[in-house]
């Protein structure tokens, strides 16, 4: 089992899309093991986006992401990192396929409604910025035996 970090961004929270977005991960069969609403401060946002420091979109990105509350999740499942990246779709929502979250709910790269880790090591780093181990629940979905061989 693998864990990944997901963040429902301020635009999606403001637009009332929290339930719709979480529903898609739940329906896929991924297990929610952590869930928290938070308004990020600049320091935390810079840690989450450390790899983008210095890029032209960094400042607007930090402004956007700290401008209002976000909903953070830790999801668990086999290949959760890759599966979640497929569900959210391409970074530029204008290019994201219909059926993906960004493809269905966003228009641009700068307001793309959701974040997800892009590698297992990155997931571990990112989720640890928001959750300690005691914030995460170890539990079994009642349908687990029907989701996996
Ligand atoms: P990702 O969110 O799909 O992993 P990254 O390349 O890691 O995409 O970029 C992080 C976030 O920075 C994007 O989701 C988007 O919000 C923002 N971003 C990336 N590139 C641009 C850009 O060219 N203009 C505006 N915002 C951008
Ligand atoms: Mg990224």
């Amino acid at each position: 089992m693998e864990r990944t970090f997901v963040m429902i961004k301020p635009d999606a929270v403001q637009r009332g899309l929290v339930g719709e977005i979480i529903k898609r991960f739940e329906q896929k069969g991924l297990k929610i093991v952590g869930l928290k609403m938070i308004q990020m401060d600049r320091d935390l946002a810079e840690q989450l986006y450390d790899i983008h420091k210095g890029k032209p979109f960094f400042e607007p990105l930090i402004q956007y992401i700290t401008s209002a509350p976000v909903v953070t999740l830790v999801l668990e499942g086999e290949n959760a990192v890759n599966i979640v990246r497929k569900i959210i779709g391409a970074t530029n929502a204008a290019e994201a396929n219909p059926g993906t979250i960004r493809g269905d709910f966003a228009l641009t790269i700068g307001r793309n409604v959701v974040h997800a880790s892009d590698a297992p090591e990155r997931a571990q780093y990112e989720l640890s910025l928001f959750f300690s181990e005691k914030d995460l629940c170890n539990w079994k979905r009642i349908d687990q035996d029907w989701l996996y061989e």
Side-chain angles (χ1 to χ4, degrees):
M1 286 294 166
E2 191 171 79
R3 284 175 175 175
T4 193
F5 173 74
V6 169
M7 179 176 69
I8 302 173
K9 293 182 175 181
D11 46 335
V13 175
Q14 295 295 325
R15 293 172 55 206
L17 295 171
V18 173
E20 176 62 40
I21 291 171
I22 291 177
K23 184 181 81 170
R24 292 181 174 217
F25 298 122
E26 277 192 305
Q27 285 182 337
K28 179 73 170 170
L30 293 157
K31 182 168 62 180
I32 299 169
V33 298
L35 181 61
K36 179 156 62 181
M37 185 179 231
I38 178 180
Q39 181 153 1
M40 271 190 276
D41 61 19
R42 189 181 176 93
D43 188 54
L44 184 55
E46 287 196 7
Q47 289 182 70
L48 178 64
Y49 287 117
D50 57 348
I51 54 169
H52 296 303
K53 203 157 192 166
K55 295 182 186 170
F57 61 83
F58 184 75
E59 267 309 315
L61 173 62
I62 299 299
Q63 290 294 328
Y64 154 52
I65 229 67
T66 58
S67 64
V70 298
V71 174
T72 57
L73 296 115
V74 180
L75 298 176
E76 194 178 276
E78 281 183 21
N79 300 312
V81 170
N82 280 329
I83 287 170
V84 168
R85 287 292 296 197
K86 285 203 172 79
I87 293 170
I88 73 169
T91 304
N92 184 353
E95 309 291 331
N97 289 326
T100 65
I101 293 170
R102 286 163 169 171
D104 289 350
F105 298 115
L107 292 164
T108 64
I109 195 168
R111 292 290 183 273
N112 61 4
V113 299
V114 66
H115 165 89
S117 309
D118 65 4
E121 319 78 68
R122 226 18 234 181
Q124 191 47 48
Y125 166 75
E126 292 176 359
L127 76 84
S128 72
L129 295 174
F130 295 84
F131 296 91
S132 63
E133 202 52 44
K134 69 172 169 41
D135 297 325
L136 302 177
C137 293
N138 287 303
W139 63 290
K140 186 180 172 184
R141 276 181 67 137
I142 200 165
D143 55 2
Q144 177 161 325
D145 295 337
W146 295 97
L147 291 164
Y148 296 100
E149 289 183 79

PDB file of all heavy atoms in Angstrom, residues 49 51-52 85 91 115-118 126, ligand 2:
ATOM      1  N   TYR A  49       5.973  23.986  -1.845  1.00  0.00           N
ATOM      2  CA  TYR A  49       6.368  24.271  -3.222  1.00  0.00           C
ATOM      3  C   TYR A  49       7.859  24.601  -3.329  1.00  0.00           C
ATOM      4  O   TYR A  49       8.258  25.342  -4.232  1.00  0.00           O
ATOM      5  CB  TYR A  49       5.497  25.402  -3.777  1.00  0.00           C
ATOM      6  CG  TYR A  49       4.074  24.953  -4.083  1.00  0.00           C
ATOM      7  CD1 TYR A  49       2.978  25.494  -3.414  1.00  0.00           C
ATOM      8  CD2 TYR A  49       3.821  23.961  -5.046  1.00  0.00           C
ATOM      9  CE1 TYR A  49       1.680  25.070  -3.701  1.00  0.00           C
ATOM     10  CE2 TYR A  49       2.530  23.537  -5.327  1.00  0.00           C
ATOM     11  CZ  TYR A  49       1.462  24.098  -4.659  1.00  0.00           C
ATOM     12  OH  TYR A  49       0.178  23.679  -4.947  1.00  0.00           O
ATOM     13  N   ILE A  51      10.380  23.162  -4.515  1.00  0.00           N
ATOM     14  CA  ILE A  51      11.064  22.896  -5.795  1.00  0.00           C
ATOM     15  C   ILE A  51      10.767  23.962  -6.861  1.00  0.00           C
ATOM     16  O   ILE A  51      11.444  23.994  -7.883  1.00  0.00           O
ATOM     17  CB  ILE A  51      10.725  21.494  -6.370  1.00  0.00           C
ATOM     18  CG1 ILE A  51       9.221  21.290  -6.497  1.00  0.00           C
ATOM     19  CG2 ILE A  51      11.346  20.394  -5.531  1.00  0.00           C
ATOM     20  CD1 ILE A  51       8.853  20.059  -7.303  1.00  0.00           C
ATOM     21  N   HIS A  52       9.781  24.818  -6.610  1.00  0.00           N
ATOM     22  CA  HIS A  52       9.435  25.843  -7.604  1.00  0.00           C
ATOM     23  C   HIS A  52       9.980  27.227  -7.251  1.00  0.00           C
ATOM     24  O   HIS A  52       9.739  28.192  -7.977  1.00  0.00           O
ATOM     25  CB  HIS A  52       7.922  25.917  -7.783  1.00  0.00           C
ATOM     26  CG  HIS A  52       7.327  24.655  -8.331  1.00  0.00           C
ATOM     27  ND1 HIS A  52       7.735  24.106  -9.523  1.00  0.00           N
ATOM     28  CD2 HIS A  52       6.379  23.809  -7.836  1.00  0.00           C
ATOM     29  CE1 HIS A  52       7.045  22.996  -9.754  1.00  0.00           C
ATOM     30  NE2 HIS A  52       6.230  22.780  -8.740  1.00  0.00           N
ATOM     31  N   ARG A  85      -2.563  11.017  -9.562  1.00  0.00           N
ATOM     32  CA  ARG A  85      -2.124  11.967 -10.602  1.00  0.00           C
ATOM     33  C   ARG A  85      -2.976  11.815 -11.862  1.00  0.00           C
ATOM     34  O   ARG A  85      -3.313  12.798 -12.521  1.00  0.00           O
ATOM     35  CB  ARG A  85      -0.629  11.765 -10.943  1.00  0.00           C
ATOM     36  CG  ARG A  85       0.346  12.239  -9.888  1.00  0.00           C
ATOM     37  CD  ARG A  85       0.389  13.739  -9.686  1.00  0.00           C
ATOM     38  NE  ARG A  85       0.848  14.487 -10.831  1.00  0.00           N
ATOM     39  CZ  ARG A  85       1.261  15.760 -10.778  1.00  0.00           C
ATOM     40  NH1 ARG A  85       1.296  16.414  -9.613  1.00  0.00           N
ATOM     41  NH2 ARG A  85       1.637  16.380 -11.860  1.00  0.00           N
ATOM     42  N   THR A  91      -1.424  19.390 -15.399  1.00  0.00           N
ATOM     43  CA  THR A  91      -1.239  20.619 -14.627  1.00  0.00           C
ATOM     44  C   THR A  91      -2.002  21.791 -15.243  1.00  0.00           C
ATOM     45  O   THR A  91      -2.682  22.538 -14.540  1.00  0.00           O
ATOM     46  CB  THR A  91       0.264  20.972 -14.551  1.00  0.00           C
ATOM     47  OG1 THR A  91       0.966  19.861 -13.996  1.00  0.00           O
ATOM     48  CG2 THR A  91       0.500  22.207 -13.708  1.00  0.00           C
ATOM     49  N   HIS A 115      -4.093  19.754  -5.890  1.00  0.00           N
ATOM     50  CA  HIS A 115      -2.681  19.371  -5.894  1.00  0.00           C
ATOM     51  C   HIS A 115      -2.572  17.897  -5.537  1.00  0.00           C
ATOM     52  O   HIS A 115      -3.346  17.414  -4.714  1.00  0.00           O
ATOM     53  CB  HIS A 115      -1.915  20.188  -4.836  1.00  0.00           C
ATOM     54  CG  HIS A 115      -0.559  19.624  -4.517  1.00  0.00           C
ATOM     55  ND1 HIS A 115       0.568  19.983  -5.227  1.00  0.00           N
ATOM     56  CD2 HIS A 115      -0.157  18.685  -3.618  1.00  0.00           C
ATOM     57  CE1 HIS A 115       1.615  19.297  -4.744  1.00  0.00           C
ATOM     58  NE2 HIS A 115       1.201  18.516  -3.774  1.00  0.00           N
ATOM     59  N   ALA A 116      -1.600  17.201  -6.123  1.00  0.00           N
ATOM     60  CA  ALA A 116      -1.292  15.847  -5.651  1.00  0.00           C
ATOM     61  C   ALA A 116       0.198  15.581  -5.829  1.00  0.00           C
ATOM     62  O   ALA A 116       0.813  16.067  -6.787  1.00  0.00           O
ATOM     63  CB  ALA A 116      -2.098  14.800  -6.410  1.00  0.00           C
ATOM     64  N   SER A 117       0.770  14.822  -4.931  1.00  0.00           N
ATOM     65  CA  SER A 117       2.198  14.481  -4.991  1.00  0.00           C
ATOM     66  C   SER A 117       2.506  13.738  -6.281  1.00  0.00           C
ATOM     67  O   SER A 117       1.679  12.966  -6.771  1.00  0.00           O
ATOM     68  CB  SER A 117       2.583  13.596  -3.807  1.00  0.00           C
ATOM     69  OG  SER A 117       2.146  14.164  -2.596  1.00  0.00           O
ATOM     70  N   ASP A 118       3.734  13.960  -6.800  1.00  0.00           N
ATOM     71  CA  ASP A 118       4.084  13.337  -8.085  1.00  0.00           C
ATOM     72  C   ASP A 118       5.018  12.142  -7.969  1.00  0.00           C
ATOM     73  O   ASP A 118       5.391  11.554  -8.981  1.00  0.00           O
ATOM     74  CB  ASP A 118       4.654  14.385  -9.046  1.00  0.00           C
ATOM     75  CG  ASP A 118       5.972  14.975  -8.564  1.00  0.00           C
ATOM     76  OD1 ASP A 118       6.500  14.529  -7.522  1.00  0.00           O
ATOM     77  OD2 ASP A 118       6.476  15.893  -9.243  1.00  0.00           O
ATOM     78  N   GLU A 126       5.614  15.687   1.605  1.00  0.00           N
ATOM     79  CA  GLU A 126       4.492  16.641   1.611  1.00  0.00           C
ATOM     80  C   GLU A 126       3.483  16.316   2.703  1.00  0.00           C
ATOM     81  O   GLU A 126       3.015  17.207   3.411  1.00  0.00           O
ATOM     82  CB  GLU A 126       3.818  16.666   0.232  1.00  0.00           C
ATOM     83  CG  GLU A 126       4.723  17.277  -0.836  1.00  0.00           C
ATOM     84  CD  GLU A 126       4.149  17.234  -2.243  1.00  0.00           C
ATOM     85  OE1 GLU A 126       3.030  16.715  -2.435  1.00  0.00           O
ATOM     86  OE2 GLU A 126       4.830  17.727  -3.165  1.00  0.00           O
TER      87      GLU A 126
HETATM   88 MG1  LIG B   2       3.968  19.253  -8.678  1.00  0.00          MG
END
